[in-house]
Every structure is written in structure tokens, then in C-alpha cells.
Amino acid sequence: MRVRRHEVLDSTSDEAFRLAQAGERGPIWVVATEQAGGRGRRGRAWASPPGNLYATLLLTDPGPRARLHELGFVAGVALADALAEVAPGADVGLKWPNDGMIGPAKAAGILVEATEFGGGGGGGATACAIGIGVNVASHPSGLAYPATCLAAHARAPRVEATFGALATALDARLAQWRGGEGFSAIRDAWLGRARGLGRPIRVETAKGALEGAFAGLDATGRLLVADGDGESAVESGDVFIAADFVRARISEDVGT
Amino acid sequence: MKKPAAAPTKDAPLDAALVEALARIAAEHDLSEAEVEHDGLRVRVARERRAATVIHAAPMAAPVAASAVAPAAPAGEESGTVKSPMIGTAYLRPSPEAKPFVEIGMAVKAGERILLVEAMKTFNDIVAPHGGVVTKIFVEDGTPVEYGQPLMVIA
């Protein structure tokens, strides 16, 4: 396993794409002690002080382009494997599609990004960056959802041990996925770790919010939300499960 | 062939079966369209080239006639049309506050990022397959797109 380590980066995924542009094909990990511009979904910031893990795995053409979203589940399941190893006995779970949870709080996040090199339209190579942030020593507060860190659940967790567990787990889960052929096993493993199955959830999408019961995943990984009229499949959005969803609604009601 | 799971409504078993049957007939005979009318219910299935048959999950109690129709490519598709390589949500800008990647009238080079498609929190850059000027944008920021759906025209 090849690893490039840095003290400070803007973002490990940005660095991975710079490497890809310069001809690097991976697999290679980019790890930083801290990030100046850690990113989440849709340009949101990911707090990145020293003491936590910031790592990106760069892959080239890991599978068919239309199946690359499955990597979010592959990485999610590997992340849960790693959290369970580093914090034995902790209540580790996954919130759709790939937030790493301990108890009701978020301990880790994943952002998968893909881009094409050498000509668009499917002719070139696809570089894929799986960016993972794990709150090891600390976690931010004042977010729209509860957050936690490994230090609250394990004795003296180390960034290096967390990275080792994660890299090993992701390697094994990628082998199980086999470019998409093994996705049903990944999906099953994901459902085994799912947070909020059968419970009320709220999904906020770019086109509005949806409320209902979390009924599972369809064959491609979309979130199934059931209400009185039937089931809807959601492929993009922010998920709020019971407790945090009630909290969000209360803060809406009081107009904050 | 990927097919979104149909959203079962009270009338769904019949509707879903009809759509399935039509899709099968259309695929077997390589038809671009198949339509049937029965008891006042009209179902049309449209296919695009050799791409997957697109059957929308019927959103709640929407009339089947409307929901079974694939988002058709504009008649007589223009050359220079860029299509979505996957199902997902299209974004014209990197974040809600940012400037769009491209705008109508803008010149782009081959390989330049023109759009993002998010599929289950995986963000895929869509890059220009060829250089030219953006003459049409078919999608809005944050709209769902199907496999093979035209996104924009670079002429």
C-alpha cells in the first residue's frame, strides 16, 4: 500500500486529483495531519484540526462509471469495520449513504468524487477519490446534527491506528465489491449496520423534503422512504433520523 | 438494464405489470416506443437507442400515462449534445453559493468541467467531450437526471 503523508494540505482529495492530473494512477493514499480547506457535500466545510484523520484513496477506473456511486457504500462499510475495530464495544452504525455513526452522533464522513482525464465522453480514464474524515481526538460542535469522536468511546485512540484499520478494511471491501459484481454483499453488510431502519426519517433534497419510514435500500443503493401512499426511492439528499429530525423540526418551529 | 424500483401505489400491481410487459415487448422487438390503451388507461414506454429502458417510479398517485413516459430527448437531437453517463442529480455549480461552471454563450475546452452529477453522495464531474460554445443547457441546478439524458449542447 502506497501512502503520501503531509503536515498540512488544503484537502487530501484536492491533492489526490492533482496527483492524478500529473499522471498518478493509484491506488495511493494521501494523508494529512490537518487540512486548511476540508470539504463535505456541496461545498460544505469539514473542520480539520490536528488529532483527527484526513485521508483520501485515489483509484483509477475502479469500475463502470454508472456504478461508481456504489463506492460510497463500499467505503461506508469499510469505515464501520474500522470504527468497530478501533473503538471495541462502541455502537457503530451507518447513516445513509455513508456517515459513520457512534450511537446517535456522527463520528466520520465520506466524500467520493470522480473526474475524467484524457478526453470526455467515456473515452478517457476516470480518477476516483474516496475522501474520509474520522473524528479521532475531537469533534466540532454547533452543527445541525450531533457529532462525536473516538476519544469519547475508546481509550487513547491513535490517528495512525485508525488509518491502518481503515486502509486494511477498505482494501478488503474493494476486493469484495469487484468493480460492482459484488455489490449485493456490500449492500447486505451496509443494511447490517444501518441506522434508523423502519424508523421515521426526514430527507432533505435539492427539491424539497420528504418524511416517512426508512424502508431499506433498493438494488442500486437508493434510500426507500415509505409513507401512506407507497414507497419513494431517493438518490440524493440529507437524511435526519428520529431524534435529530425531531430536533430539527423544533428549531424550525421556533424560527431559528 | 437498471430499472428503478416501482413505487407501489394502490393501483400499482396492474400498472407495473403493464409497464413491464410493454418494456419487454419494446426491448424484444427493439422498438423505440410502445403504447397500449386499455380501459381508459394509456401507457407508453419510450426507449433511447440501446440505453436502458427508463421507467420512472410512479411518484405517489401520479397518473401512470404521464409517469411511464421517459424524459424524451428533444426531437432530432442536435450534434454536440452532452448526455448524462449516470442516474443522479445534476448541479450547475460546485456549491449553492458558487458561480455556475458554464453559462450559455461560454466557450469551453475539451476536458473542462461543465457539470456535476451526484449519485448517492458520489460527485461525478461531467467534462466537455469536445471544445466549443455552450448553446443550450437542458437541466436546472439540482434536478434529477436519467442515464443518457441530454444535459447541454456544446456546438
PDB file of all heavy atoms in Angstrom, chain A residues 214-235:
ATOM      1  N   PHE A 214     -38.046   4.739   7.095  1.00  0.00           N
ATOM      2  CA  PHE A 214     -36.879   4.253   6.347  1.00  0.00           C
ATOM      3  C   PHE A 214     -37.109   2.763   6.056  1.00  0.00           C
ATOM      4  O   PHE A 214     -36.967   1.919   6.919  1.00  0.00           O
ATOM      5  CB  PHE A 214     -35.625   4.494   7.193  1.00  0.00           C
ATOM      6  CG  PHE A 214     -34.350   3.977   6.596  1.00  0.00           C
ATOM      7  CD1 PHE A 214     -34.235   3.656   5.249  1.00  0.00           C
ATOM      8  CD2 PHE A 214     -33.231   3.845   7.403  1.00  0.00           C
ATOM      9  CE1 PHE A 214     -33.050   3.193   4.712  1.00  0.00           C
ATOM     10  CE2 PHE A 214     -32.027   3.384   6.883  1.00  0.00           C
ATOM     11  CZ  PHE A 214     -31.942   3.050   5.536  1.00  0.00           C
ATOM     12  N   ALA A 215     -37.470   2.461   4.803  1.00  0.00           N
ATOM     13  CA  ALA A 215     -37.887   1.104   4.458  1.00  0.00           C
ATOM     14  C   ALA A 215     -36.754   0.225   3.919  1.00  0.00           C
ATOM     15  O   ALA A 215     -36.955  -0.955   3.651  1.00  0.00           O
ATOM     16  CB  ALA A 215     -39.029   1.160   3.437  1.00  0.00           C
ATOM     17  N   GLY A 216     -35.565   0.789   3.742  1.00  0.00           N
ATOM     18  CA  GLY A 216     -34.442  -0.024   3.261  1.00  0.00           C
ATOM     19  C   GLY A 216     -33.766   0.609   2.061  1.00  0.00           C
ATOM     20  O   GLY A 216     -33.852   1.813   1.845  1.00  0.00           O
ATOM     21  N   LEU A 217     -33.053  -0.214   1.298  1.00  0.00           N
ATOM     22  CA  LEU A 217     -32.350   0.234   0.098  1.00  0.00           C
ATOM     23  C   LEU A 217     -32.889  -0.534  -1.095  1.00  0.00           C
ATOM     24  O   LEU A 217     -33.223  -1.698  -0.966  1.00  0.00           O
ATOM     25  CB  LEU A 217     -30.851  -0.073   0.190  1.00  0.00           C
ATOM     26  CG  LEU A 217     -30.033   0.509   1.325  1.00  0.00           C
ATOM     27  CD1 LEU A 217     -28.578   0.091   1.167  1.00  0.00           C
ATOM     28  CD2 LEU A 217     -30.148   2.015   1.353  1.00  0.00           C
ATOM     29  N   ASP A 218     -32.940   0.110  -2.265  1.00  0.00           N
ATOM     30  CA  ASP A 218     -33.261  -0.682  -3.453  1.00  0.00           C
ATOM     31  C   ASP A 218     -31.961  -1.325  -3.956  1.00  0.00           C
ATOM     32  O   ASP A 218     -30.900  -1.182  -3.349  1.00  0.00           O
ATOM     33  CB  ASP A 218     -33.993   0.160  -4.509  1.00  0.00           C
ATOM     34  CG  ASP A 218     -33.102   1.132  -5.262  1.00  0.00           C
ATOM     35  OD1 ASP A 218     -31.882   1.155  -5.011  1.00  0.00           O
ATOM     36  OD2 ASP A 218     -33.626   1.868  -6.113  1.00  0.00           O
ATOM     37  N   ALA A 219     -32.043  -2.048  -5.068  1.00  0.00           N
ATOM     38  CA  ALA A 219     -30.897  -2.838  -5.524  1.00  0.00           C
ATOM     39  C   ALA A 219     -29.699  -1.969  -5.887  1.00  0.00           C
ATOM     40  O   ALA A 219     -28.559  -2.432  -5.862  1.00  0.00           O
ATOM     41  CB  ALA A 219     -31.302  -3.700  -6.714  1.00  0.00           C
ATOM     42  N   THR A 220     -29.940  -0.691  -6.217  1.00  0.00           N
ATOM     43  CA  THR A 220     -28.828   0.170  -6.609  1.00  0.00           C
ATOM     44  C   THR A 220     -28.297   0.980  -5.431  1.00  0.00           C
ATOM     45  O   THR A 220     -27.306   1.689  -5.572  1.00  0.00           O
ATOM     46  CB  THR A 220     -29.248   1.159  -7.725  1.00  0.00           C
ATOM     47  OG1 THR A 220     -30.194   2.088  -7.186  1.00  0.00           O
ATOM     48  CG2 THR A 220     -29.886   0.437  -8.900  1.00  0.00           C
ATOM     49  N   GLY A 221     -28.966   0.897  -4.274  1.00  0.00           N
ATOM     50  CA  GLY A 221     -28.492   1.623  -3.098  1.00  0.00           C
ATOM     51  C   GLY A 221     -29.327   2.834  -2.742  1.00  0.00           C
ATOM     52  O   GLY A 221     -29.035   3.524  -1.769  1.00  0.00           O
ATOM     53  N   ARG A 222     -30.377   3.098  -3.551  1.00  0.00           N
ATOM     54  CA  ARG A 222     -31.204   4.260  -3.232  1.00  0.00           C
ATOM     55  C   ARG A 222     -31.983   4.024  -1.941  1.00  0.00           C
ATOM     56  O   ARG A 222     -32.366   2.902  -1.628  1.00  0.00           O
ATOM     57  CB  ARG A 222     -32.161   4.566  -4.378  1.00  0.00           C
ATOM     58  CG  ARG A 222     -31.430   5.001  -5.638  1.00  0.00           C
ATOM     59  CD  ARG A 222     -32.375   5.498  -6.694  1.00  0.00           C
ATOM     60  NE  ARG A 222     -33.356   4.483  -7.047  1.00  0.00           N
ATOM     61  CZ  ARG A 222     -34.360   4.699  -7.873  1.00  0.00           C
ATOM     62  NH1 ARG A 222     -34.536   5.886  -8.410  1.00  0.00           N
ATOM     63  NH2 ARG A 222     -35.205   3.728  -8.159  1.00  0.00           N
ATOM     64  N   LEU A 223     -32.209   5.138  -1.233  1.00  0.00           N
ATOM     65  CA  LEU A 223     -32.917   5.089   0.044  1.00  0.00           C
ATOM     66  C   LEU A 223     -34.419   4.978  -0.212  1.00  0.00           C
ATOM     67  O   LEU A 223     -34.970   5.767  -0.974  1.00  0.00           O
ATOM     68  CB  LEU A 223     -32.604   6.381   0.800  1.00  0.00           C
ATOM     69  CG  LEU A 223     -33.268   6.602   2.141  1.00  0.00           C
ATOM     70  CD1 LEU A 223     -32.507   5.848   3.216  1.00  0.00           C
ATOM     71  CD2 LEU A 223     -33.296   8.088   2.464  1.00  0.00           C
ATOM     72  N   LEU A 224     -35.064   4.011   0.433  1.00  0.00           N
ATOM     73  CA  LEU A 224     -36.513   3.855   0.264  1.00  0.00           C
ATOM     74  C   LEU A 224     -37.236   4.469   1.451  1.00  0.00           C
ATOM     75  O   LEU A 224     -36.967   4.124   2.600  1.00  0.00           O
ATOM     76  CB  LEU A 224     -36.877   2.380   0.123  1.00  0.00           C
ATOM     77  CG  LEU A 224     -36.316   1.690  -1.134  1.00  0.00           C
ATOM     78  CD1 LEU A 224     -36.593   0.187  -1.098  1.00  0.00           C
ATOM     79  CD2 LEU A 224     -36.909   2.310  -2.399  1.00  0.00           C
ATOM     80  N   VAL A 225     -38.135   5.403   1.150  1.00  0.00           N
ATOM     81  CA  VAL A 225     -38.928   6.069   2.185  1.00  0.00           C
ATOM     82  C   VAL A 225     -40.380   5.684   1.971  1.00  0.00           C
ATOM     83  O   VAL A 225     -40.926   5.866   0.877  1.00  0.00           O
ATOM     84  CB  VAL A 225     -38.785   7.610   2.091  1.00  0.00           C
ATOM     85  CG1 VAL A 225     -39.581   8.283   3.194  1.00  0.00           C
ATOM     86  CG2 VAL A 225     -37.326   8.020   2.169  1.00  0.00           C
ATOM     87  N   ALA A 226     -41.012   5.124   3.003  1.00  0.00           N
ATOM     88  CA  ALA A 226     -42.404   4.688   2.882  1.00  0.00           C
ATOM     89  C   ALA A 226     -43.316   5.655   3.622  1.00  0.00           C
ATOM     90  O   ALA A 226     -43.022   6.067   4.736  1.00  0.00           O
ATOM     91  CB  ALA A 226     -42.558   3.286   3.463  1.00  0.00           C
ATOM     92  N   ASP A 227     -44.398   6.036   2.958  1.00  0.00           N
ATOM     93  CA  ASP A 227     -45.448   6.762   3.683  1.00  0.00           C
ATOM     94  C   ASP A 227     -46.776   6.104   3.328  1.00  0.00           C
ATOM     95  O   ASP A 227     -46.789   5.036   2.728  1.00  0.00           O
ATOM     96  CB  ASP A 227     -45.411   8.261   3.368  1.00  0.00           C
ATOM     97  CG  ASP A 227     -45.716   8.556   1.908  1.00  0.00           C
ATOM     98  OD1 ASP A 227     -46.178   7.638   1.199  1.00  0.00           O
ATOM     99  OD2 ASP A 227     -45.497   9.703   1.481  1.00  0.00           O
ATOM    100  N   GLY A 228     -47.874   6.722   3.686  1.00  0.00           N
ATOM    101  CA  GLY A 228     -49.187   6.115   3.483  1.00  0.00           C
ATOM    102  C   GLY A 228     -49.464   5.734   2.039  1.00  0.00           C
ATOM    103  O   GLY A 228     -50.208   4.792   1.777  1.00  0.00           O
ATOM    104  N   ASP A 229     -48.868   6.430   1.090  1.00  0.00           N
ATOM    105  CA  ASP A 229     -49.185   6.211  -0.314  1.00  0.00           C
ATOM    106  C   ASP A 229     -48.276   5.200  -1.009  1.00  0.00           C
ATOM    107  O   ASP A 229     -48.535   4.811  -2.134  1.00  0.00           O
ATOM    108  CB  ASP A 229     -49.105   7.542  -1.079  1.00  0.00           C
ATOM    109  CG  ASP A 229     -50.169   8.513  -0.612  1.00  0.00           C
ATOM    110  OD1 ASP A 229     -51.298   8.059  -0.376  1.00  0.00           O
ATOM    111  OD2 ASP A 229     -49.859   9.699  -0.455  1.00  0.00           O
ATOM    112  N   GLY A 230     -47.178   4.827  -0.379  1.00  0.00           N
ATOM    113  CA  GLY A 230     -46.268   3.896  -1.030  1.00  0.00           C
ATOM    114  C   GLY A 230     -44.824   4.233  -0.710  1.00  0.00           C
ATOM    115  O   GLY A 230     -44.556   4.898   0.289  1.00  0.00           O
ATOM    116  N   GLU A 231     -43.925   3.769  -1.567  1.00  0.00           N
ATOM    117  CA  GLU A 231     -42.509   3.990  -1.319  1.00  0.00           C
ATOM    118  C   GLU A 231     -41.915   4.915  -2.363  1.00  0.00           C
ATOM    119  O   GLU A 231     -42.259   4.850  -3.530  1.00  0.00           O
ATOM    120  CB  GLU A 231     -41.746   2.656  -1.377  1.00  0.00           C
ATOM    121  CG  GLU A 231     -41.825   1.868  -0.091  1.00  0.00           C
ATOM    122  CD  GLU A 231     -41.076   0.546  -0.199  1.00  0.00           C
ATOM    123  OE1 GLU A 231     -40.417   0.291  -1.218  1.00  0.00           O
ATOM    124  OE2 GLU A 231     -41.177  -0.232   0.765  1.00  0.00           O
ATOM    125  N   SER A 232     -41.010   5.764  -1.945  1.00  0.00           N
ATOM    126  CA  SER A 232     -40.255   6.591  -2.890  1.00  0.00           C
ATOM    127  C   SER A 232     -38.785   6.247  -2.739  1.00  0.00           C
ATOM    128  O   SER A 232     -38.317   6.004  -1.637  1.00  0.00           O
ATOM    129  CB  SER A 232     -40.427   8.070  -2.584  1.00  0.00           C
ATOM    130  OG  SER A 232     -41.783   8.382  -2.404  1.00  0.00           O
ATOM    131  N   ALA A 233     -38.070   6.236  -3.870  1.00  0.00           N
ATOM    132  CA  ALA A 233     -36.633   5.976  -3.844  1.00  0.00           C
ATOM    133  C   ALA A 233     -35.902   7.299  -3.990  1.00  0.00           C
ATOM    134  O   ALA A 233     -36.176   8.066  -4.894  1.00  0.00           O
ATOM    135  CB  ALA A 233     -36.261   5.024  -4.965  1.00  0.00           C
ATOM    136  N   VAL A 234     -34.980   7.558  -3.073  1.00  0.00           N
ATOM    137  CA  VAL A 234     -34.245   8.819  -3.069  1.00  0.00           C
ATOM    138  C   VAL A 234     -32.789   8.544  -3.396  1.00  0.00           C
ATOM    139  O   VAL A 234     -32.198   7.620  -2.834  1.00  0.00           O
ATOM    140  CB  VAL A 234     -34.311   9.472  -1.666  1.00  0.00           C
ATOM    141  CG1 VAL A 234     -33.514  10.769  -1.632  1.00  0.00           C
ATOM    142  CG2 VAL A 234     -35.752   9.715  -1.257  1.00  0.00           C
ATOM    143  N   GLU A 235     -32.212   9.304  -4.313  1.00  0.00           N
ATOM    144  CA  GLU A 235     -30.790   9.065  -4.596  1.00  0.00           C
ATOM    145  C   GLU A 235     -29.859  10.191  -4.149  1.00  0.00           C
ATOM    146  O   GLU A 235     -28.667   9.981  -4.093  1.00  0.00           O
ATOM    147  CB  GLU A 235     -30.555   8.623  -6.035  1.00  0.00           C
ATOM    148  CG  GLU A 235     -31.050   9.541  -7.121  1.00  0.00           C
ATOM    149  CD  GLU A 235     -30.156  10.726  -7.325  1.00  0.00           C
ATOM    150  OE1 GLU A 235     -28.949  10.649  -6.998  1.00  0.00           O
ATOM    151  OE2 GLU A 235     -30.666  11.754  -7.759  1.00  0.00           O
TER     152      GLU A 235
END
